[in-house]
Amino acid sequence: MNERDVRHVLDVLHVFCDAEGRHGNALGVVRDPRGYPDEASRLALAGELGYSETLFVDDPERGTVDIYTPGLRLPFAGHPLVGAAWLLDLAELNPPAGTVEARSDGEFTWITARAEWAPPRLLERYATPEEIDALPAPPPGEGWLYAWAWEDEAAGRVRARAFPRRDGGIVEDEATGAAALLLTELLGRALNITQGRGSQILTAPGPDGTVEIGGRVRLAAAAPTPARGIAGPAPVPARRLSVTDALRLMG
């Protein structure tokens, strides 16, 4: 990868932060993907950055986006789409799975999606939040695991952790919108999920089989904006992001 090229096009977000702006799942957003025109080059970049997902913006006006883990292309993923909706300020996004409506209420950014778009996940219920906290990373076994327990069932509060248990270098996924979508569809009710180290995901089932997923988004590092009327990156950007910087921001 050419560090000089990628640092001018990569924004790094944290999606599903808590009320103080902490935690959240790191997301790389490539707003100008002309240097990564095909699946092979995008997979290579996603693998080198090492985020659970990297999103490429192919058309910022129509919201056409392309999502990759370090090992595969995804038709849908929750935290990249919440992050992209916040960053691009669009009412609709268009990943390969279909049109995703988006909105903001000032604090949370929301997307509307369908459970059938989400990749399969093993949703395993535990008796207590303490059992969730005590799980090794990753737990024994195979397949993508979403471990969850009620913190307060009456209030819809859930404690969860997520473990991809696959090649790609991601041992634990800090905040997982697709799994939250599946859990909401399974339980048929609104949820307030605390995942990972303290990330927060809100969900609400819709009347037509859809589910809303909401969360706070924080900008960790921005690609420099070109000066008006000048092609290419601004000569003195406020923040120049190298690949090394991006990897450090994962925490």
Side-chain angles (χ1 to χ4, degrees):
M1 183 195 311
N2 186 323
E3 291 191 15
R4 187 174 181 277
D5 291 339
V6 74
R7 70 188 181 190
H8 292 307
V9 298
L10 182 70
D11 294 289
V12 181
L13 311 180
H14 284 250
V15 182
F16 299 129
C17 298
D18 70 5
E20 284 72 45
R22 300 172 302 182
H23 311 303
N25 202 354
L27 171 69
V29 179
V30 182
R31 283 208 256 183
D32 181 358
R34 287 174 293 179
Y36 309 93
D38 53 29
E39 185 169 338
S41 61
R42 293 179 179 194
L43 276 171
L45 178 61
E48 188 159 352
L49 290 174
Y51 302 125
S52 57
E53 280 97 16
T54 298
L55 180 141
F56 298 81
V57 182
D58 288 316
D59 189 328
E61 294 183 358
R62 294 182 173 87
T64 305
V65 296
D66 201 15
I67 306 166
Y68 290 80
T69 75
L72 71 157
R73 185 182 187 224
L74 296 177
F76 170 86
H79 105 272
L81 293 171
V82 170
W86 178 86
L87 184 68
L88 302 176
D89 192 22
L90 293 175
E92 284 187 357
L93 296 169
N94 287 284
T99 299
V100 173
E101 295 180 359
R103 66 179 180 89
S104 173
D105 63 15
E107 181 177 6
F108 293 89
T109 298
W110 297 83
I111 62 167
T112 300
R114 295 188 173 275
E116 58 262 31
W117 293 347
R121 302 283 188 257
L122 173 61
L123 307 178
E124 187 169 334
R125 181 178 175 180
Y126 287 74
T128 67
E130 290 74 22
E131 289 185 55
I132 301 294
D133 293 336
L135 288 171
E142 297 181 358
W144 217 109
L145 173 66
Y146 196 64
W148 70 279
W150 288 114
E151 284 189 327
D152 184 336
E153 185 171 357
R157 291 174 49 216
V158 169
R159 174 72 177 114
R161 292 173 67 191
F163 306 97
R165 297 195 298 193
R166 67 186 178 203
D167 294 337
I170 306 298
V171 175
E172 180 170 358
D173 203 344
E174 172 61 26
T176 314
L181 167 64
L182 291 173
L183 185 62
T184 303
E185 197 242 358
L186 174 68
L187 298 176
R189 59 178 295 183
L191 300 175
N192 182 346
I193 301 170
T194 300
Q195 186 180 325
R197 294 169 297 173
S199 300
Q200 184 180 20
I201 306 170
L202 301 184
T203 70
D208 55 353
T210 61
V211 173
E212 273 201 308
I213 308 165
R216 303 178 189 86
V217 183
R218 174 172 63 87
L219 180 65
T225 302
R228 186 181 298 275
I230 301 175
V236 187
R239 176 76 168 91
R240 288 185 177 271
L241 183 71
S242 69
V243 176
T244 301
D245 292 331
L247 292 170
R248 286 174 182 158
L249 285 163
M250 287 180 64

